């Protein structure tokens, strides 16, 4: 049996449908679906992603039977259009468009008007009765094809066009006549001949296969590879190729081309939103060559634009388009991003897909659609990308900030950013990688800029609309962006921009407000986000379906308050050493470290104790009875001593400690491998008085709260870095002894738990032994990852990238849990822990506790809670809800 590489669509039906995205790519599958719905789609066919994969598998050779199937596809188009590919009298022209499973905006290049040559252009001129149009189309084709397929730079062509316009004294393309375009076409062809040493291909078949090959090859270009890495898209997916009969938006004043979202992709507002251009073709709208006009009258008025909207300029076809858009949204049950062309008053749909949107819009659309009954609440929860919520958890400009507005553009991607301006993507990439806050300023962006855009905190473009490349990419990444700031005059040579005579040089700080489109001078005051409205509504729905509890890693009162505001249901990790570093305490801590004997240590600890107790009282008060897991002292003691000799001398001076002794002790404490040294519970075993002081402080604080009549906490006292059952027993006895004594002294009933972090492979494997004396486990996956791989997370930066680039690691295991290795240890520990102590409380407190994929794993293993940094709590709540839904 031969493989099927080609699926046709158009003419009122299709061989594929929307469910076939893997095979037909997103664009092809949706073109087929729209055809089947009876919408006006120019006929065409899709070459499958499998053909692309076969092409690469066979060393860049097309499958043997592909040519015949493509010929069949062309015949299908010819039959419907009543035109013939390559026929000089009645030529069929096609577009060749890439389309992977996931949309990769701007990553792959499209060729329009393919099939034109010196003979067919005459046919097109005769048939259309518009010679100007025919040659305009031909020059577009030569430029696109030469660029995409033959690898020639755009500039050569742009220069020719600009020279012509200069000579004729015109500045818009529309002022050029048929004769002008004909002359330009001739020069374009000469340029190709000169640059490549061979003429522009005249044979439509050669053109077709050249374009198909270029689409396949673009799957492996640098931009596509980078984008795939950014978005975790596997190389093995391949891209499809769509070959589709051309329709023409450049056939006069009743022709147009446009893009639209069925709802506002920035705010989520339920109103048709988009841009169009009269008498234009394809990419003119997104390329920012001419400034596009609004679709609706309301949007035009809001923008204060004088140019008519589509609703006003082409009312009949606009009404038809609005109905189609509404129908698509209902059909797909999601906000659609559509591309269309009007050819002499007739509407053609060229693409639909689920629209990319800001997190804010995603929330509003999901909540609204659930309200409209289009989707269920659970679907609304499932639809929001937890990671995208991050955008909403970021600062915006304070309403009372003084705004010194330099320029105003379009509010292309919301949120605010402060940074130093740079004018090239390379600079943005370099300085951004060095950790600097950068604002990238460009005339307009193109796919070549994506690395720099990604490294920037914010983006400003002088040209381009709301659907320009910069706007779409920035919104997708949650990077604030102001596009089309036309007042800004960029001087690339001198690396500055000026607005009304005032010059801003490279490196100067500006603030951008992507929600208003303003560019502001200097660094402007920001405020933290507030989580109300749609956000709050969605969180309530998420909380209704999630099983995992969500706690926060917090030690300061501010962290704890933030955590609660974001909905944390407890503290999963309070690191007590942070409390030791406080300037009022560090002296006593150092005294304790320097003490020669236990009595000396106890004396110093007695000075720290009241501080510790006060910390816990405050924390328990804020947490109002919610669980709080407190980890006893963990880092090696030398971390509390000054590091350089100068600092040592200064500390000795200010504290009155003996400098020689301080120096000696620092040397004694030096370890060649402190990560595996005298730290964690090993400190508590060597110096039980330290842990005793901490346990006492915790229990006294809890008793104080209990006595005051406020909700009493159930402290969870956690011992770090335990590896052996006998260690745990020692620590449990120590803890109980101290706690019981305090409770007896205080004369109140108080519950508390004693448990451990699981951070060592041995602890995971012997979890059964540990569970005999541990009432809870908290997986400390930062250290557990480190100790499992034997990779120091502080040093991994130097080589982890090599691992990722060479495909040895799929992801950084410190960011997303290594489910097969570290995950297996967690599974084993959970199983053995539960076997030894049914109902043992299990949680995770590493960075992974805020990573959606890792949270899904925690759900699968049946942990009781995840704990993450306060700002990630909403992300974790949503991810936990989605994990629960996925299990249903
Ligand atoms: P991208 O994936 O970059 O959006 P597309 O394949 O959608 O690329 O093509 C870009 C633009 O080219 C489309 O928005 C559309 O305006 C135009 N285009 C593509 N195919 C056709 C066609 N058959 N007829 C007219 N215009 C087309
Ligand atoms: Mg498109
Ligand atoms: Mg640890």
């Amino acid at each position: 049996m031969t493989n099927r590489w080609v699926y046709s669509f158009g003419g009122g039906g299709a061989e594929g449908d929307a469910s076939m995205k893997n095979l037909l790519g997103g664009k092809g599958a949706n073109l087929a679906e729209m055809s089947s719905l009876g919408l006006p789609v120019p006929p065409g066919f899709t070459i499958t992603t499998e053909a692309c994969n076969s092409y690469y598998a066979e060393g860049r050779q097309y499958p043997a039977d592909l040519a015949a199937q493509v010929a069949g596809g062309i015949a299908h188009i010819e039959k419907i259009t009543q035109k013939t590919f390559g026929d000089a009298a009645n030529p069929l022209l096609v577009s060749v468009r890439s389309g992977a499973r996931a949309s990769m905006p701007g990553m792959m290049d499209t060729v329009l008007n393919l099939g034109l040559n010196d003979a067919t252009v005459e046919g097109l001129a005769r048939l259309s009765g518009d010679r100007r149009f025919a040659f305009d189309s031909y020059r577009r084709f030569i430029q696109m094809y030469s660029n995409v397929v033959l690898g020639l730079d755009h500039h050569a062509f742009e220069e020719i066009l600009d020279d012509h316009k200069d000579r004729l004294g015109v500045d818009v393309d529309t002022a050029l006549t048929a004769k002008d375009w004909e002359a330009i076409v001739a020069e374009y062809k000469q340029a190709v001949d000169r640059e490549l040493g061979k003429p522009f291909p005249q044979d439509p078949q050669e053109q077709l296969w050249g374009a198909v090959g270029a689409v396949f090859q673009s799957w492996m270009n640098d931009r596509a590879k980078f984008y795939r890495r950014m978005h975790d898209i596997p190389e093995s997916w391949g891209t499809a190729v769509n070959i589709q009969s051309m329709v023409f938006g450049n056939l006069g004043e009743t022709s147009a081309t446009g893009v639209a979202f069925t709802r506002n992709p920035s705010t989520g507002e339920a109103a048709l939103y988009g841009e169009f251009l009269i008498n234009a073709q394809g990419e003119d709208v997104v390329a920012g060559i001419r400034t596009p006009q609004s679709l609706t009258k309301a949007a035009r008025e809001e923008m204060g634009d004088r140019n008519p909207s589509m609703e006003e300029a082409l009312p009949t076809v606009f009404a038809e388009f609005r109905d189609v858009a509404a129908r698509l949204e209902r059909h797909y049950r999601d906000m659609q991003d559509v591309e269309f062309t009007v050819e002499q008053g007739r509407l053609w749909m060229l693409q639909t897909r689920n629209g990319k949107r800001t997190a804010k819009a995603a929330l509003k659309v999901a909540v609204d659609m659930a309200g409209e009954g289009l989707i269920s609440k659970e679907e609304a929860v499932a639809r929001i990308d937890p990671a995208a919520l991050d955008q909403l958890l970021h600062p915006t400009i304070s309403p009372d900030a003084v705004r010194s507005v330099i320029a105003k553009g379009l509010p292309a991607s919301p949120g605010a950013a402060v940074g130093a301006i740079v004018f090239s993507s390379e600079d943005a990439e370099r300085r951004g990688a060095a950790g600097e806050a950068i604002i990238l300023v460009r005339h307009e962006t193109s796919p070549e800029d994506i690395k720099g855009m990604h490294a920037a905190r914010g983006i400003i473009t002088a040209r381009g609309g709301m659907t320009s490349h910069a706007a779409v990419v920035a919104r997708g990444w949650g990077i604030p962006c102001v596009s089309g700031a036309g007042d800004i005059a960029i001087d690339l040579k001198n690396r500055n921009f000026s607005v009304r005579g005032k010059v801003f040089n490279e490196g100067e700080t500006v603030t951008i407000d992507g929600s208003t489109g303003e560019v502001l001078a200097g660094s402007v005051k920001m405020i933290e986000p507030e989580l109300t409205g749609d956000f709050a509504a969605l969180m309530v729905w998420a909380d209704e379906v999630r099983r995992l509890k969500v706690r926060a890693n917090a030690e300061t009162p501010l962290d704890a308050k933030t955590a609660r505001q974001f909905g944390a249901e407890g503290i999963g990790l309070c690191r007590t050493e942070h409390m030791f570093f406080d300037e009022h305490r560090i002296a006593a801590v150092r005294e304790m470290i320097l003490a020669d004997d236990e009595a000396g240590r106890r004396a110093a600890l007695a000075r720290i104790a009241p501080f510790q107790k006060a910390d816990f009282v405050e924390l328990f008060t804020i947490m109002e009875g919610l669980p709080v897991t407190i980890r006893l002292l963990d880092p090696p003691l030398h971390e509390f001593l000054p590091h350089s000799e100068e600092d040592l001398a200064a500390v000795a001076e200010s504290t009155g400690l003996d400098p020689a002794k301080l120096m000696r002790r620092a040397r004694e404490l030096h370890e060649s491998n402190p990560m595996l040294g005298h730290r964690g519970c090993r400190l508590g075993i060597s110096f039980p008085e330290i842990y005793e002081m901490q346990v006492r402080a915790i229990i006294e604080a809890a008793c104080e709260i209990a006595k005051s009549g406020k909700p009493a906490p159930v402290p969870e006292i956690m011992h770090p870095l335990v590896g052996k059952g006998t260690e745990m027993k020692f620590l449990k006895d120590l803890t109980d002894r101290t706690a019981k004594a305090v409770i007896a002294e205080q004369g109140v009933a108080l519950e508390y738990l004693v448990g451990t972090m699981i951070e060592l492979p041995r602890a995971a494997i012997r979890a059964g032994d540990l569970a005999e004396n541990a009432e809870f486990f908290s997986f400390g996956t930062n250290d557990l990852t480190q100790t499992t791989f034997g990779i120091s997370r502080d040093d991994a930066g130097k080589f982890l990238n090599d691992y990722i680039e060479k495909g040895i690691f799929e992801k950084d295991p410190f960011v997303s849990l290594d489910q097969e290795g570290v995950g297996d240890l967690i599974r084993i520990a959970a199983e053995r822990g539960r076997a030894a102590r049914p109902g043992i409380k299990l949680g995770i407190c590493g960075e992974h506790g805020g990573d959606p994929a890792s949270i899904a794993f925690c759900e699968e293993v049946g942990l009781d809670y995840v704990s993450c940094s306060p700002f990630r709590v909403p992300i974790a709540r949503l991810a936990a809800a989605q994990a629960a839904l996925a299990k249903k």
Side-chain angles (χ1 to χ4, degrees):
M1 209 186 93
T2 52
N3 269 313
R4 174 147 190 207
W5 308 113
V6 163
Y7 289 74
S8 67
F9 57 83
E15 293 175 335
D17 62 51
S19 71
M20 294 162 72
K21 286 204 174 70
N22 293 358
L23 188 63
L24 303 180
K27 204 180 280 168
N30 286 330
L31 283 167
E33 183 85 5
M34 286 198 291
S35 297
S36 299
L37 287 173
L39 298 179
V41 175
F45 61 93
T46 304
I47 302 176
T48 65
T49 54
E50 280 174 6
C52 175
N53 289 334
S54 162
Y55 172 81
Y56 281 108
E58 302 298 322
R60 305 200 176 206
Q61 294 280 324
Y62 297 118
D65 42 357
L66 182 62
Q69 295 188 28
V70 166
I74 293 283
H76 158 80
I77 306 177
E78 288 175 338
K79 192 163 151 222
I80 296 171
T81 58
Q82 296 289 300
K83 291 178 185 166
T84 307
F85 191 57
D87 179 359
N90 185 24
L92 166 68
L93 305 186
V94 296
S95 64
V96 177
R97 321 169 63 188
S98 64
R101 276 193 219 182
S103 88
M104 293 172 62
M107 288 294 106
M108 307 284 179
D109 300 299
T110 294
V111 177
L112 302 181
N113 309 330
L114 189 140
L116 277 175
N117 57 25
D118 295 350
T120 54
V121 71
E122 295 294 345
L124 184 65
R126 254 192 321 275
L127 280 180
S128 64
D130 188 342
R131 200 170 172 79
R132 180 191 181 283
F133 150 75
F135 279 90
D136 174 34
S137 302
Y138 194 15
R139 66 91 194 181
R140 287 172 189 268
F141 171 55
I142 296 173
Q143 174 164 354
M144 264 186 262
Y145 191 90
S146 300
N147 180 253
V148 173
V149 181
L150 307 177
L152 281 189
D153 205 77
H154 276 298
H155 297 307
F157 301 107
E158 272 152 19
E159 252 165 48
I160 294 172
L161 181 55
D162 286 344
D163 282 354
H164 263 270
K165 287 203 264 185
D166 284 351
R167 242 179 294 140
L168 296 166
V170 302
D171 45 40
V172 288
D173 292 2
T174 41
L176 296 174
T177 64
K179 276 244 150 347
D180 299 329
W181 286 125
E182 228 181 302
I184 290 166
V185 162
E187 284 191 42
Y188 275 16
K189 285 194 298 183
Q190 279 163 20
V192 173
D193 210 339
R194 197 172 51 240
E195 296 287 328
L196 298 176
K198 54 180 183 200
F200 185 79
Q202 292 285 316
D203 175 6
Q205 286 295 337
E206 182 188 344
Q207 295 173 354
L208 181 65
W209 287 100
V212 170
V215 172
F216 280 175
Q217 274 154 36
S218 71
W219 181 248
M220 292 293 183
N221 73 23
D222 283 348
R223 287 188 260 142
K225 282 187 185 163
F226 178 76
Y227 190 90
R228 281 202 291 275
R229 247 210 334 268
M230 288 293 317
H231 295 263
D232 286 332
I233 297 174
E235 202 164 275
S236 62
W237 281 7
T239 182
V241 187
N242 300 290
I243 292 162
Q244 187 176 26
S245 159
M246 281 302 301
V247 289
F248 299 100
N250 55 338
L251 252 177
E253 295 304 306
T254 55
S255 299
T257 184
V259 297
F261 289 86
T262 55
R263 302 190 185 211
N264 184 314
S266 243
T267 64
E269 191 202 342
L272 194 61
Y273 177 91
E275 297 166 326
F276 86 116
L277 275 174
I278 289 190
N279 199 6
Q281 204 173 29
E283 307 222 283
D284 292 359
V285 177
V286 275
I289 293 165
R290 269 157 66 193
T291 302
Q293 293 153 240
S294 301
L295 283 185
T296 63
K297 183 160 174 272
R300 176 185 69 75
E301 283 167 355
E302 200 177 308
M303 309 259 297
D305 189 356
R306 263 191 302 258
N307 297 315
S309 64
M310 181 175 173
E311 186 171 8
E312 293 154 304
L314 303 168
T316 314
V317 71
F318 173 78
E320 187 191 343
F321 174 69
R322 190 171 43 200
D323 291 347
V324 168
R327 186 160 164 213
L328 283 172
E329 187 177 279
R330 274 197 313 277
H331 180 73
Y332 285 97
R333 301 164 66 248
D334 200 357
M335 184 247 266
Q336 295 298 295
D337 167 359
V338 300
E339 299 176 3
F340 65 94
T341 281
V342 177
E343 180 180 306
Q344 298 190 316
R346 183 151 179 215
L347 175 69
W348 292 99
M349 297 306 295
L350 293 172
Q351 191 170 337
T352 192
R353 62 182 168 206
N354 292 341
K356 284 203 195 299
R357 59 206 85 178
T358 62
K360 186 175 165 199
L363 272 177
K364 180 157 172 58
V365 169
V367 171
D368 283 357
M369 284 189 170
E372 292 160 22
L374 201 56
I375 60 174
S376 69
K377 285 183 192 177
E378 294 190 348
E379 276 180 292
V381 167
R383 272 191 189 180
I384 308 295
D385 172 13
L389 285 186
D390 221 11
Q391 287 181 33
L392 299 177
L393 307 170
H394 284 309
T396 48
I397 290 175
S398 164
D400 60 11
V402 186
R403 304 170 79 106
S404 151
V405 179
I406 307 170
K408 194 156 175 357
L410 300 171
S413 178
V418 180
I421 51 175
V422 301
F423 295 91
S424 80
S425 293
E426 294 74 47
D427 287 339
E429 203 185 332
R430 185 173 43 78
R431 292 174 68 163
E436 213 180 327
I438 289 300
I439 305 285
L440 176 62
V441 185
R442 303 283 291 155
H443 282 117
E444 63 212 23
T445 62
S446 71
E448 280 97 62
D449 292 318
I450 52 175
K451 290 189 190 176
M453 294 167 76
H454 191 252
R457 297 281 169 87
I459 297 164
I460 303 172
T461 66
R463 284 187 235 140
M466 290 295 288
T467 49
S468 64
H469 179 264
V472 171
V473 172
R475 277 199 297 273
W477 282 340
I479 297 174
C481 174
V482 172
S483 69
D487 291 345
I488 288 182
I490 300 177
D491 179 348
L492 286 178
K493 205 144 113 236
N494 294 307
R495 298 172 180 230
N496 66 35
F497 71 75
S498 52
V499 190
R500 286 174 290 274
K502 192 164 170 7
V503 177
F504 294 83
N505 287 305
E506 181 180 75
E508 263 182 70
T509 300
V510 302
T511 300
I512 67 171
D513 186 341
S515 312
T516 61
E518 285 168 326
V519 180
L520 311 163
S523 165
V524 180
K525 192 173 140 205
M526 306 270 189
I527 49 161
E528 298 307 324
E530 229 189 289
L531 306 177
T532 50
D534 297 323
F535 194 105
L538 192 92
M539 281 296 145
V540 169
W541 299 345
D543 291 347
E544 281 168 12
V545 295
R546 97 183 131 85
R547 183 197 62 84
L548 275 169
K549 297 268 184 202
V550 176
R551 300 193 191 181
N553 298 346
E555 37 265 341
T556 68
L558 180 66
D559 285 350
K561 282 182 197 148
T562 309
R564 287 213 62 191
Q565 248 166 32
F566 285 159
E569 296 161 300
I571 289 178
L573 177 63
C574 163
R575 303 170 169 93
T576 49
E577 59 269 18
H578 288 208
M579 300 164 163
F580 278 44
F581 278 110
D582 181 286
E583 55 177 330
H584 303 295
R585 311 169 192 186
I586 188 75
V589 173
R590 286 171 176 158
E591 226 172 88
M592 186 260 303
I593 294 172
L594 293 187
D596 296 314
D597 52 18
E598 188 185 324
R601 274 193 298 277
R602 283 194 186 275
L605 285 165
R607 287 174 44 214
I608 307 169
F611 288 115
Q612 280 263 283
K613 180 181 163 191
D615 289 334
F616 297 131
V617 168
E618 196 170 7
L619 213 52
F620 292 149
T621 306
I622 294 168
M623 296 311 289
E624 295 182 300
L626 293 173
V628 178
T629 307
I630 299 161
R631 179 179 70 184
L632 302 186
L633 194 67
D634 181 52
L637 294 180
H638 70 80
E639 284 194 13
F640 297 100
L641 293 184
H643 297 293
S644 70
E645 294 211 352
E646 278 164 17
D647 288 349
L648 275 170
V651 165
E653 169 89 36
S654 70
T655 54
L657 295 171
D658 175 6
K661 192 168 169 190
L662 202 54
M663 214 93 78
R664 192 180 64 231
R665 190 79 180 112
R667 260 198 307 276
E668 281 167 12
L669 287 174
H670 173 81
E671 292 177 319
S672 37
N673 200 346
M675 265 331 294
L676 303 177
H678 198 183
R679 55 165 291 223
C681 70
R682 297 158 199 171
L683 292 171
I685 286 168
S686 300
F687 314 115
E689 54 279 7
I690 299 180
Y691 278 15
E692 279 167 25
M693 180 280 286
Q694 292 196 290
V695 171
R696 175 165 277 277
I698 294 165
I699 300 294
E700 280 182 2
C703 288
E704 189 174 311
I705 302 277
K707 278 195 221 167
S708 75
K710 288 185 217 147
V714 181
E716 300 175 355
I717 299 172
M718 180 156 77
H719 294 275
L721 217 69
V722 174
K724 203 164 159 27
T726 44
E727 261 175 324
M728 192 65 231
K729 167 132 185 35
F730 179 94
L731 296 162
K732 166 86 156 107
D733 289 348
L734 177 159
T735 310
D736 280 344
R737 210 167 43 237
T738 313
K740 293 213 166 93
V742 177
I743 290 169
E745 280 164 31
Q746 300 286 325
V748 282
L750 185 84
E751 264 184 78
Y752 67 94
L753 298 177
V754 183
T756 181
M757 275 178 111
I758 303 283
E759 308 175 84
L760 299 172
R762 192 183 199 288
I765 291 167
R766 302 302 304 179
D769 306 346
L770 268 52
E772 280 171 25
N773 286 293
E775 293 157 309
F776 65 88
F777 289 164
S778 175
F779 293 97
T781 49
N782 296 344
D783 269 338
L784 188 58
T785 300
Q786 181 161 253
T787 54
T788 301
F789 277 102
I791 289 179
S792 149
R793 80 184 115 123
D794 302 314
D795 302 308
K798 289 184 205 140
F799 55 85
L800 259 189
N801 262 345
D802 298 339
Y803 271 67
I804 290 167
E805 240 150 54
K806 296 186 176 162
I808 294 168
F809 282 180
E810 210 179 307
K811 289 181 187 167
D812 179 344
F814 292 104
V815 174
S816 200
L817 191 76
D818 159 46
Q819 297 187 10
E820 50 180 35
V822 178
D824 230 20
L825 286 172
I826 293 177
R827 230 187 277 274
I828 290 168
E831 211 177 276
R832 298 186 181 170
R834 284 192 186 116
R837 182 186 292 271
I840 186 170
K841 211 171 187 178
L842 302 175
I844 181 174
C845 65
E847 288 303 304
H848 305 97
D851 169 62
S854 311
I855 292 170
F857 174 83
C858 295
E859 171 67 37
E860 197 190 305
V861 184
L863 300 192
D864 297 299
Y865 68 87
V866 298
S867 186
C868 57
S869 78
F871 276 92
R872 291 197 76 84
V873 165
I875 297 172
R877 286 161 70 192
L878 181 58
Q882 293 181 350
L885 286 174
K887 255 179 114 177
K888 272 193 178 174

